[in-house]
């Protein structure tokens, strides 16, 4: 997060706008723009744990990893700079919550890459702020307006659910596969038909669907679920509760905040960070798994067939097997011998 994104570069073109402001930064913050802004105060709120890890050393208590922006912190601000995410529903969820606690009359700046769908900002927020475009550069759009009305926000109104067999899965906007059981995760859980026991770690757990489906079939599993997304962690906790399952749900950037060893590591790992393709999380997941598995423990992941994970599995474990595949996905398994 050392280099600035195009969206942050556009914000700095307007740096003089913020020198006398109390700024709230929120949304898809992917760099250290907060440390480069000159303002009376800056509070950076992120729903992504790895982004908070990068910001916290410089910002301290002026940065937070949280699902919803701290209402007291927002009330002290008079300017919002919001970085548009790739999910419109996630943007609407976050902005509605922010507009419920940001003072009416506050300045609102929304910035994002054109390919992210930021052009939707004007229509989506018109009930609360009248936005107009004030800059277009670096393939980004910057929109500005003043908050004219407070929003009403209740977290439970945004929870959705779907069924996988007898499992009830809770989801929130921005969580991977929020509307249904994605084909890749379904392939993985259907491939693991053998009885499972011991400690299971679900990394990049999303809504907790993989761990939940496996635990419903194998009630002796001891569950740990982790993700970098605050929305995913909240959804996973709710999913476990709805299915009367116990388990730890931990914010962790792959293995950064995890300890102990496991008998199973399962994952449908992401290969995007925001809008950008990134294999970093999956590479860390595979190469770090050997040190996190008990002897005889197994890692089982599902991935798009074109992704370069077989070589990583072989270099880490000496071998791997393809447990199941379709035209699009493959399920890989390897053992810590």
């Amino acid at each position: 997060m050392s280099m600035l994104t195009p969206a942050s570069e556009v914000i700095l073109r307007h740096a003089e706008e913020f020198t006398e402001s109390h700024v709230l930064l929120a949304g898809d913050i992917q760099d250290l723009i907060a440390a480069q802004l000159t303002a009376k105060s800056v509070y950076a709120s992120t729903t992504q744990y790895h982004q908070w890890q990068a910001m916290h050393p410089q910002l301290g208590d002026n940065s937070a990893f949280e699902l919803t922006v701290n209402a007291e912190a927002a009330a002290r601000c008079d300017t919002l700079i919001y970085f548009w995410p790739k999910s419109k529903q996630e943007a609407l969820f976050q902005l509605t919550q922010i507009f419920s606690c940001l003072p009416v009359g506050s300045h609102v700046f929304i910035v994002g890459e054109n390919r992210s769908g930021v052009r939707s900002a004007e229509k989506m927020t018109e009930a609360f702020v009248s936005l107009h475009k004030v800059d277009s550069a670096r393939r980004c759009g910057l929109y500005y307006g003043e908050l004219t009305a407070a929003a009403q926000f209740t977290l439970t109104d945004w929870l959705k659910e779907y069924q996988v067999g007898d499992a009830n899965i809770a989801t929130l906007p921005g969580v991977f596969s929020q509307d249904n059981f994605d084909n890749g995760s379904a392939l993985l859980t259907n491939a693991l038909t053998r009885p499972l026991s011991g400690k299971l770690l679900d990394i990049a757990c999303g809504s907790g669907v993989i761990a939940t489906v496996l635990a419903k079939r194998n009630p002796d599993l001891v569950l740990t679920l982790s993700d970098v997304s605050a929305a995913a962690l909240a959804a996973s906790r709710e999913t476990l509760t709805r299915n009367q399952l116990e388990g730890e749900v931990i914010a962790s950037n792959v293995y950064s905040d995890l300890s102990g060893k496991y008998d199973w590591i399962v994952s449908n790992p992401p290969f995007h960070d925001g809008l950008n393709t990134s294999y970093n999380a999956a590479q860390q997941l595979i190469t770090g798994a050997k040190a996190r598995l008990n002897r005889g423990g197994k890692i089982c992941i599902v991935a798009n067939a074109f992704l370069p994970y077989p070589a990583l599995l072989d270099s880490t474990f000496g071998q791997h097997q393809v447990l199941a595949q379709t035209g699009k996905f493959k399920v890989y398994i390897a053992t810590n011998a």
Side-chain angles (χ1 to χ4, degrees):
M1 290 178 64
S2 58
M3 297 179 62
L4 293 183
T5 63
S8 291
E9 290 177 351
V10 171
I11 289 297
L12 287 186
R13 285 159 58 96
H14 301 264
E16 70 284 351
E17 299 278 354
F18 311 115
T19 55
E20 298 300 314
S21 301
H22 296 280
V23 176
L24 167 62
L25 285 173
D28 191 20
I29 308 168
Q30 293 195 3
D31 54 31
L32 294 176
I33 179 67
Q36 298 196 30
L37 277 181
T38 300
K40 285 186 175 180
S41 68
V42 176
Y43 179 81
S45 175
T46 179
T47 63
Q48 300 296 310
Y49 188 65
H50 60 303
Q51 294 170 357
W52 175 82
Q53 284 179 310
M55 292 190 293
H56 184 68
Q58 294 194 35
L59 298 178
D61 291 341
N62 290 320
S63 64
F65 167 65
E66 51 196 3
L67 173 60
T68 55
V69 174
N70 180 280
E72 292 183 4
R76 295 192 294 267
C77 295
D78 56 29
T79 300
L80 168 67
I81 300 174
Y82 181 81
F83 291 86
W84 194 262
K86 67 178 181 179
S87 165
K88 293 179 183 178
Q89 272 299 108
E90 183 180 13
L92 184 60
F93 167 79
Q94 293 176 348
L95 286 169
T96 301
Q97 189 271 324
I98 293 169
F99 292 161
S100 73
C101 49
L102 190 70
V104 171
S106 294
H107 303 285
V108 175
F109 293 85
I110 296 179
V111 65
E113 294 188 41
N114 294 328
R115 61 180 176 143
S116 72
V118 70
R119 296 182 182 92
S120 302
E122 291 179 275
K123 182 68 174 177
M124 285 175 56
T125 64
E126 63 183 359
F128 311 108
V129 57
S130 180
L131 292 174
H132 60 277
K133 183 180 280 192
V134 294
D135 200 358
S136 181
R138 314 286 198 275
R139 297 181 180 176
C140 296
L142 175 64
Y143 298 81
Y144 169 76
E146 290 188 11
L147 187 64
T148 57
Q152 298 297 315
F153 178 86
T154 303
L155 180 59
T156 53
D157 290 342
W158 296 83
L159 277 168
K160 293 184 178 181
E161 63 180 39
Y162 60 86
Q163 292 291 130
V164 179
D166 63 347
N168 182 269
I169 310 302
T171 69
L172 281 166
V175 176
F176 173 69
S177 193
Q178 70 182 57
D179 296 321
N180 50 50
F181 194 22
D182 67 281
N183 292 333
S185 297
L187 187 67
L188 186 153
T189 56
N190 289 335
L192 287 175
T193 55
R194 71 185 75 179
L196 307 182
S197 61
K199 296 181 178 180
L200 180 141
L201 169 64
D202 182 356
I203 291 185
C205 61
S207 61
V209 62
I210 291 176
T212 296
V213 170
L214 293 177
K216 296 280 275 188
R217 297 178 190 161
N218 304 275
D220 292 332
L221 283 173
V222 178
L223 302 180
T224 300
L225 289 71
S226 74
D227 206 295
V228 295
S229 162
L233 298 173
S236 288
R237 292 187 185 98
E238 180 66 19
T239 294
L240 292 181
T241 297
R242 292 184 180 198
N243 292 280
Q244 295 82 50
L245 295 172
E246 294 184 0
E248 284 191 280
V249 181
I250 301 172
S252 184
N253 183 7
V254 193
Y255 301 110
S256 68
D257 288 67
L258 297 171
S259 59
K261 293 194 174 185
Y262 303 89
D263 301 293
W264 287 91
I265 295 175
V266 295
S267 185
N268 183 349
F271 61 98
H272 290 95
D273 188 359
L275 291 169
N276 300 315
T277 299
S278 174
Y279 303 135
N280 289 342
Q283 289 172 342
Q284 293 174 41
L285 166 68
I286 294 170
T287 58
K290 193 172 182 68
R292 300 290 178 166
L293 285 168
N294 290 319
R295 185 174 295 276
K298 299 180 187 295
I299 180 173
C300 184
I301 65 172
V302 62
N304 289 72
F306 68 86
L307 293 172
Y309 299 153
L312 272 177
L313 288 164
D314 287 344
S315 64
T316 303
F317 293 96
Q319 50 72 40
H320 78 277
Q321 293 176 287
V322 176
L323 199 59
Q325 61 183 313
T326 64
K328 185 175 181 180
F329 299 105
K330 288 186 178 180
V331 176
Y332 304 105
I333 192 167
T335 303
N336 184 28

